[in-house]
């Protein structure tokens, strides 16, 4: 079997067209969606992620502002920037690129963003609302993964989804979203015993462990849908995922590539959340 590639890049393009139309519609009603992205330091991957996010905004007509702060920025300076953006009516979404330097508390920073502008979906209020299935901003990577699986025409009801990884950004939230799709979900992690026995039972395997080409053919049964969330630079300087793509493309039914898979859809869900935030803002200002 040769897998069908789920191209996040192509799927993102179709979402961009819809988002751009919605942005135009809002603009006609005098609402210009705006996103602020804060980057602290010069982490090379973060620098390129932030650039890509700004470029995406330009593409769909969302106003964006990138605030680049030095590595030595203090926590209180960063919190002051966030406070200003929280009160800025032109800004509907605030994203602080992670990871932050060690002297700054990620928790404090995430908690400082008002939930109404937390387009990352990381604030405890949004996380809590996601858990109970209430209105919230869904975290971008998990949300993008749901869209990618749905694009294959797969009905997740009753399917066994195995998630490898338990991070707050991907593993935990994607497991919950899969549960909301009525899948049966197993979460595996670095201390899981007999990992291959579990991953082989998966109808859908989502891998977010941050370890270069960790998952291979010994982990996967024929016909599995494989979603690779990893982005690692290998010893040749090439971007590779958490799964051995060349091995698994011969076994899986569908597989996401790296690059061009989950990444572009994560960024697209950020645009989606920013647009959503602007729409909510419009609804409040027009009724309140
Ligand atoms: N760093 C890696 N992924 C993410 C993300 O989704 N949001 C933020 N803010 N930082 C990240």
């Amino acid at each position: 079997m040769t897998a069908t590639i789920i191209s996040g890049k192509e799927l993102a393009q179709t979402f961009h067209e819809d988002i751009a139309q919605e942005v135009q519609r809002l603009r006609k009603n005098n609402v210009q969606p705006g996103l602020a992205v804060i980057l602290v330091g010069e982490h090379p991957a973060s620098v390129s992620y932030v650039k890509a996010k700004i470029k995406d905004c330009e593409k769909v007509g969302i106003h964006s502002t990138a605030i680049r702060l030095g590595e030595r920025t203090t926590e209180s300076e960063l919190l002051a920037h966030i406070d200003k953006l929280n009160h800025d009516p032109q800004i509907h979404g605030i994203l602080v690129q992670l990871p932050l330097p060690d002297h700054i508390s990620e928790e404090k920073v995430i908690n400082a963003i008002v939930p109404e502008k937390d387009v990352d979906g990381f604030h405890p209020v949004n996380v809590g609302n996601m858990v109970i299935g209430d209105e919230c901003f869904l975290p971008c990577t998990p949300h993008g993964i749901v869209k990618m699986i749905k694009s294959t025409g797969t009905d997740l009801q009753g399917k066994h989804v195995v998630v490898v990884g338990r991070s707050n950004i991907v593993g935990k939230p994607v497991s919950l979203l899969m549960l909301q799709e009525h899948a049966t979900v197993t979460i595996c992690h670095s201390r899981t015993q007999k990992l291959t026995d579990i991953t082989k039972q998966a109808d859908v395997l989502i891998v977010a462990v941050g370890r270069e080409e960790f998952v291979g053919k010994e982990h996967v049964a024929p016909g599995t849908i494989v979603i690779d969330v990893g982005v690692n630079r290998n010893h040749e300087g090439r971007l590779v995922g958490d799964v051995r793509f060349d091995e698994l493309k011969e076994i899986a039914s569908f597989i996401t590539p790296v690059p061009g898979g989950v990444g572009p859809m994560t960024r697209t869900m950020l645009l989606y959340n920013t647009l959503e935030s602007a729409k909510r803002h419009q609804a409040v200002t027009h009724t309140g």
Side-chain angles (χ1 to χ4, degrees), residues 53 95-99 120 122 141 169 266:
K53 284 167 185 170
L95 179 143
V96 179
Q97 187 67 30
L98 303 177
D120 253 330
F122 293 168
T141 302
I169 294 185
T266 295

Short mmCIF file of all heavy atoms in Angstrom, two decimals, residues 53 95-99 120 122 141 169 266, ligand 1:
data_model
loop_
_atom_site.label_atom_id
_atom_site.label_comp_id
_atom_site.label_asym_id
_atom_site.label_seq_id
_atom_site.Cartn_x
_atom_site.Cartn_y
_atom_site.Cartn_z
N LYS A 53 4.13 33.56 10.23
CA LYS A 53 2.81 33.95 10.74
C LYS A 53 2.43 35.35 10.22
O LYS A 53 1.29 35.59 9.83
CB LYS A 53 2.81 33.94 12.28
CG LYS A 53 2.75 32.52 12.85
CD LYS A 53 3.06 32.46 14.34
CE LYS A 53 3.10 30.99 14.79
NZ LYS A 53 3.60 30.80 16.15
N LEU A 95 -0.27 36.64 20.49
CA LEU A 95 0.48 35.38 20.57
C LEU A 95 1.90 35.69 21.04
O LEU A 95 2.56 36.55 20.47
CB LEU A 95 0.52 34.71 19.20
CG LEU A 95 1.30 33.39 19.10
CD1 LEU A 95 0.60 32.42 18.17
CD2 LEU A 95 2.74 33.62 18.66
N VAL A 96 2.32 35.04 22.09
CA VAL A 96 3.72 35.15 22.54
C VAL A 96 4.39 33.85 22.12
O VAL A 96 4.00 32.76 22.55
CB VAL A 96 3.81 35.35 24.07
CG1 VAL A 96 5.27 35.43 24.49
CG2 VAL A 96 3.06 36.61 24.49
N GLN A 97 5.36 33.97 21.24
CA GLN A 97 6.02 32.77 20.71
C GLN A 97 6.78 32.03 21.82
O GLN A 97 7.55 32.63 22.57
CB GLN A 97 6.98 33.19 19.57
CG GLN A 97 7.60 32.03 18.82
CD GLN A 97 6.60 31.21 18.01
OE1 GLN A 97 5.59 31.72 17.54
NE2 GLN A 97 6.86 29.92 17.84
N LEU A 98 6.55 30.75 21.92
CA LEU A 98 7.23 29.89 22.90
C LEU A 98 8.31 29.08 22.18
O LEU A 98 8.17 28.83 20.99
CB LEU A 98 6.22 28.97 23.58
CG LEU A 98 5.03 29.66 24.28
CD1 LEU A 98 4.08 28.61 24.84
CD2 LEU A 98 5.51 30.59 25.37
N PRO A 99 9.36 28.66 22.82
CA PRO A 99 9.67 28.83 24.23
C PRO A 99 10.19 30.23 24.54
O PRO A 99 10.71 30.92 23.66
CB PRO A 99 10.77 27.79 24.46
CG PRO A 99 11.45 27.65 23.13
CD PRO A 99 10.39 27.86 22.11
N ASP A 120 -4.00 31.53 20.82
CA ASP A 120 -3.27 30.27 20.94
C ASP A 120 -4.13 29.20 21.65
O ASP A 120 -3.84 28.01 21.54
CB ASP A 120 -2.02 30.47 21.81
CG ASP A 120 -0.74 30.48 21.00
OD1 ASP A 120 -0.69 29.80 19.96
OD2 ASP A 120 0.22 31.15 21.43
N PHE A 122 -4.19 28.84 24.92
CA PHE A 122 -3.36 28.30 26.01
C PHE A 122 -3.81 28.76 27.40
O PHE A 122 -3.40 28.20 28.40
CB PHE A 122 -1.88 28.70 25.84
CG PHE A 122 -1.19 28.09 24.65
CD1 PHE A 122 0.06 28.57 24.24
CD2 PHE A 122 -1.75 27.03 23.96
CE1 PHE A 122 0.72 28.00 23.15
CE2 PHE A 122 -1.10 26.46 22.87
CZ PHE A 122 0.14 26.95 22.46
N THR A 141 -2.54 23.76 16.79
CA THR A 141 -2.06 22.49 16.22
C THR A 141 -3.13 21.39 16.33
O THR A 141 -3.46 20.75 15.31
CB THR A 141 -0.73 22.06 16.88
OG1 THR A 141 0.22 23.10 16.68
CG2 THR A 141 -0.21 20.76 16.29
N ILE A 169 0.61 21.59 24.74
CA ILE A 169 0.33 22.27 23.47
C ILE A 169 -0.31 21.30 22.47
O ILE A 169 -1.17 21.68 21.69
CB ILE A 169 1.63 22.87 22.88
CG1 ILE A 169 2.14 24.00 23.78
CG2 ILE A 169 1.41 23.39 21.48
CD1 ILE A 169 3.36 24.75 23.23
N THR A 266 -1.41 24.51 11.36
CA THR A 266 -1.33 25.18 12.67
C THR A 266 -1.42 26.69 12.46
O THR A 266 -2.20 27.39 13.11
CB THR A 266 0.01 24.84 13.36
OG1 THR A 266 0.04 23.45 13.66
CG2 THR A 266 0.21 25.63 14.65
N1 LIG B 1 5.94 27.45 19.81
C1 LIG B 1 5.73 26.28 19.16
N2 LIG B 1 4.43 26.12 18.85
C2 LIG B 1 3.80 27.20 19.33
C3 LIG B 1 2.43 27.62 19.32
O1 LIG B 1 1.52 26.95 18.81
N3 LIG B 1 2.19 28.82 19.91
C4 LIG B 1 3.15 29.57 20.49
N4 LIG B 1 2.79 30.72 21.06
N5 LIG B 1 4.42 29.21 20.51
C5 LIG B 1 4.73 28.04 19.93
#
